[in-house]
Amino acid sequence: MHNKRKRSSFTGLIRRCVALGLILPLMAGTAGCWDRTEVEKLAIVAGLGIDFIPGPEPILLTVQIVNPSGLQKGGGGSSSPPFLTLSATGATILDAMRNFAKASPHRLFYGHTNVIIFGDRMAREGLHPVMDYLARAPEFRRTFWILVTPATAKEILSVKLDLEDIPALGVTEMVKEFRQSAAAVIERQKDFLSGISSKSGAAPVSRLELLDADASINERLQEVTAGDSQQTSMPAQGKKQLRLNGTAAFRKDKLVGYLSDAESRGLLWITGKLNGGSVIMPCPEDQQHKISFHIERTKSKVIPYFRDGKLNIKIDIEEESSIAEVSCDKLDVSKPETIKQLEELQAKDIEARIKSTVEKCQALRADILRFGDTAYTRFPKLWKERYEEDWPDHFANLPVAVKVTSKIRRAGMTSKSGGTTK
Amino acid sequence: MRRKFIGPFLRPLLKNKHPDSRREDRESKNLPPSEPCLQQSLVENLALLQKIFDHCEDVIFREFTIGEQQARAAIIWLDGTVDRQLIDDIVLQSLMQEARKLPPNGDISPPQLHTLIRDSLLSTTSIVESYKIPDLVDRVLTGFCAILIDGVEVSIVASVRGEQMRSVTEPETEAVVRGPRQGFTENIRVGSALIRRIIKTPDLKLETRKLGRLTKTDVAILYIQGIADEKVIQEVRQRLGRIQVDSILESAYIEELIEDQPFSPFPQIAHTERPDKAAAELLEGRVVILIDGTPFALIVPTLFVQFLQSSEDYYERYFFAFLIRSVRFLFLLIALSLPSIYIAATTYHQEMLPTPLLISIAGARQGVPFPAFLEALLMEVAFEALREAGVRLPKTVGQAVSIVGALVIGEAAVRAGIVSSAMVIIVSLTAIASFAIPAFNLAITVRMLRFPLMILAAVFGFYGIMLGYLALLIHICSLRSFGVPYLTPISPFKRQGMKDVLFRAPWWRMNNRPGGISPNNRQRQNTPRPGPKS
């Protein structure tokens, strides 16, 4: 009896093994391996740039491809560069991407594209067709950063970056660092899409520019040392550098204008994304010297309300800071009254910045401040009835009040100006 | 047995006899109808025995006369398994010298003399009487000394065992930093004594039986009555009773003959070389099987988690046990699937790697002629060969092999661009991981299963790895060891048992024995949490 049971389980096993032996090659033949690609056969696209050239093939794609053999450590004097840029044009973005295949022995792999840069012209034409493809194609991430450049994306992607072998990866690092220090609003693709499809119908995008910073600095240094010109021999032209500077405002999918660096910071104040950063302002009664504060904590509230049947916006900001630098002569920060005075001055300063940002946005008729969203959440019916149509126009004429409350918590490690003890 | 393997396909062709009838044949051959008994005449007995032990030159016959009686007698022993000093002192001394004090003349009949010798002359502890020739032969072969007296049809068999054996040393396969340094030896008595030294209760039972038609190996079942599950003990007895084999040379023979699922790659019976571990298992309600001739004791029923536990977990403080066990669980996964994950990630799912990592892997793979799968297979096979070579070679040469293997071949292969440095890292990490699994038998299983997983990864990517994981999970969920589900206490879930899986609870919290193994006598301890207040 026992023997019988054992034997039957054994035959069962044999049968199962035979079945598995038949199924496995079938599975391998029908399902497997067809999309297998070895890593070294991929051209890893680190950054993608999209420009617009009017004509039959308007889309110009520029890809920055990583060249791993150029990155090998200690591989001797191999002179191959760490990255390559390729360009292709096409009627649509997909068409352009297909055209790459004609020029590249390896398949272009977009799974690691972390940054997409749009040229000014492209952004003004409207990102809709491009964004549609990027959202539809499975290979692209949903988290890549969007940047706009007043120059062309092709130019930007050909520039080498100091300290980073692959500029596109360097830009990604820059973007992350920038977000950390809260210097500008930088959006991922998904945030951008949600911004332009929201009630506000606008989104901010960071602006990446190509700047010859060295040149202007050298020029200024030249002025300082104008007296003895033998000592300075700085070149009038420096290296071109990438710099994140300011914000591009999009209404729907079209670029409508740029905000300056200072205005971009106002944007952060309003949207409450400011964590860190500093406020620098002139000393009271002494415009020559500066005093600066390190921002520790901010809280912003955008309150929509109706007065006389018209929509108003009140921006309420609470801010806590500590003193970071004092170069004023006659200022004793150990006195509570001084602190009080500084708090008021600081509040006024911040208020002014925010106001200028709001005015700029209203002038551009781009609600990147998300007032539309806030108003809609608070008064959905009224907003729909009166403001949904022509929101940009309504936004441009919206009365906005700003109120800032400042608190200085600490004076840093010393209470005297200049670090002296007396 | 071989027939059985061709069985299902060829049986109809061979027109064999029914297996049951064959079995009866064999059993009848095993047991001769009547066993020859000893005769009264010493000469006849000796002639018979000398015939049996023909050409066995290490079986020694020594004839002599007992005392003044002038009764003829002989002793027979197997040289090498007995202590000659003992024979001299106990047997010959008493029979030749002490017996002189007996009254002379023919006053005592041979049977009386026999009784006298048995009861008052032989000053040794262990004496048996043997009536039958086969029994006598068996005993002589196991180190007894048989005394035959003319005119008596019974033989006195005295134990004078004194074979050469290894002393108790530290177990090599299960070394610990802190803990007892004793290990089992090849002698089963030493083994049981070592366990008895730890557990001093008459409830610790020991049942011995001889297995193997030719080797007649002593096999002992140990359990603690009242703690071990009666059903499991009964099952062990039954399964051992079913064994029909001519030899037992190592515990592995028995393991393979009594395990639940012979076709599973997973080990279902744990073994140990450590008496303290065997004792711990006994105290958890398990049954330990000691086998003469090997220092490895079997432990049943066995759970999967046991293979990831080491006795040191209990000898170090419990925080450390938690840390080290988490590392082991992690390394189990690494040993099983790191090469396949690498293959899947680099050939199918490049988007899943961080960008800098992908770039450096791509850089390392520049110019490597093989696809990642072939490369991994090549390296894994090379590693297995290297390991095997290192194990078999003498220690001094073994080092040379590892130097050649690791440095020369590894370094040169990377330099020549035949394999990528990333793959070398993956393979070495996998190797380290497989050595971090405390049980060698589970480590072998994991090493074997790595290859099918690699094939799955090469064909289907992560999807294939997941399929492989699922198949393995389903398989080990279906396993049982002596009626206990293999994955206890994880599935079926046992709260008490979970205190000793990933996290070992401190002793003052492990109030009960782990669930699932035995329903009896669950309470283990009742100490309150220690501290100055108590």
Side-chain angles (χ1 to χ4, degrees), chain B residues 441-452:
Chain B
N441 41 2
L442 184 70
I444 298 172
T445 305
V446 167
R447 278 216 300 273
M448 272 178 347
L449 291 174
R450 196 145 73 204
F451 292 99

Side-chain angles (χ1 to χ4, degrees), chain A residues 128-399:
Chain A
H128 178 79
V130 176
M131 279 303 190
D132 176 87
Y133 176 78
L134 295 180
R136 217 175 276 282
E139 204 170 83
F140 284 94
R141 287 173 186 253
R142 294 291 169 275
T143 52
F144 59 75
W145 304 100
I146 295 181
L147 297 172
V148 168
T149 173
T152 61
K154 188 172 187 300
E155 259 178 285
I156 297 271
L157 286 175
S158 338
V159 173
K160 274 187 193 159
L161 203 63
D162 292 334
L163 297 176
E164 274 285 348
D165 290 325
I166 296 144
L169 295 187
V171 169
T172 316
E173 291 304 313
M174 249 160 86
V175 161
K176 283 180 190 158
E177 181 55 35
F178 232 57
R179 252 166 92 92
Q180 203 69 34
S181 62
V185 178
I186 299 172
E187 302 260 7
R188 292 178 186 272
Q189 179 215 23
K190 52 179 179 139
D191 305 321
F192 176 79
L193 290 179
S194 93
I196 60 172
S197 59
S198 72
K199 298 291 171 194
S200 299
V205 169
S206 254
R207 177 168 169 273
L208 182 68
E209 62 176 8
L210 205 54
L211 202 71
D212 194 348
D214 262 2
S216 69
I217 290 171
N218 288 350
E219 212 170 288
R220 283 170 63 192
L221 279 173
Q222 214 85 42
E223 278 169 30
V224 174
T225 54
D228 40 354
S229 52
Q230 297 130 320
Q231 282 193 357
T232 51
S233 55
M234 278 174 247
Q237 228 178 359
K239 206 164 50 173
K240 287 209 165 181
Q241 282 179 321
L242 293 177
R243 175 169 295 194
L244 283 167
N245 192 0
T247 305
F250 277 75
R251 195 189 319 125
K252 288 295 167 196
D253 64 325
K254 287 188 177 66
L255 173 70
V256 288
Y258 295 105
L259 271 68
S260 73
D261 229 8
E263 288 158 348
S264 304
R265 292 187 37 79
L267 186 62
L268 286 167
W269 278 105
I270 298 166
T271 45
K273 282 177 185 160
L274 197 74
N275 40 3
S278 52
V279 176
I280 305 167
M281 56 181 217
C283 293
E285 304 150 14
D286 180 8
Q287 296 294 313
Q288 283 287 306
H289 293 96
K290 305 277 185 206
I291 178 164
S292 52
F293 300 94
H294 181 77
I295 301 161
E296 310 231 315
R297 201 171 299 134
T298 59
K299 219 161 108 186
S300 89
K301 219 184 234 173
V302 175
I303 307 157
Y305 63 99
F306 276 86
R307 175 173 291 165
D308 309 328
K310 288 194 90 181
L311 183 63
N312 282 250
I313 296 282
K314 197 173 100 188
I315 303 170
D316 224 340
I317 287 168
E318 279 172 42
E319 183 251 359
E320 278 177 28
S321 60
S322 59
I323 298 172
E325 295 173 301
V326 182
S327 53
C328 322
D329 287 333
K330 298 172 239 159
L331 203 67
D332 187 0
V333 291
S334 59
K335 279 189 195 155
E337 307 91 74
T338 323
I339 296 290
K340 198 114 203 165
Q341 185 197 2
L342 284 176
E343 280 173 355
E344 275 165 28
L345 279 171
Q346 198 192 353
K348 261 192 199 141
D349 189 81
I350 296 168
E351 246 173 60
R353 290 166 185 229
I354 292 172
K355 273 199 176 130
S356 80
T357 306
V358 172
E359 276 158 20
K360 184 66 181 272
C361 291
Q362 285 181 325
L364 292 173
R365 296 180 37 247
D367 179 15
I368 54 177
L369 307 167
R370 293 279 187 123
F371 288 169
D373 266 345
T374 325
Y376 170 71
T377 346
R378 184 76 181 79
F379 309 105
K381 259 192 191 154
L382 279 172
W383 194 86
K384 266 198 165 169
E385 276 168 23
R386 297 186 204 169
Y387 296 98
E388 180 147 37
E389 269 179 63
D390 307 324
W391 168 247
D393 294 331
H394 289 294
F395 169 74
N397 301 316
L398 212 58

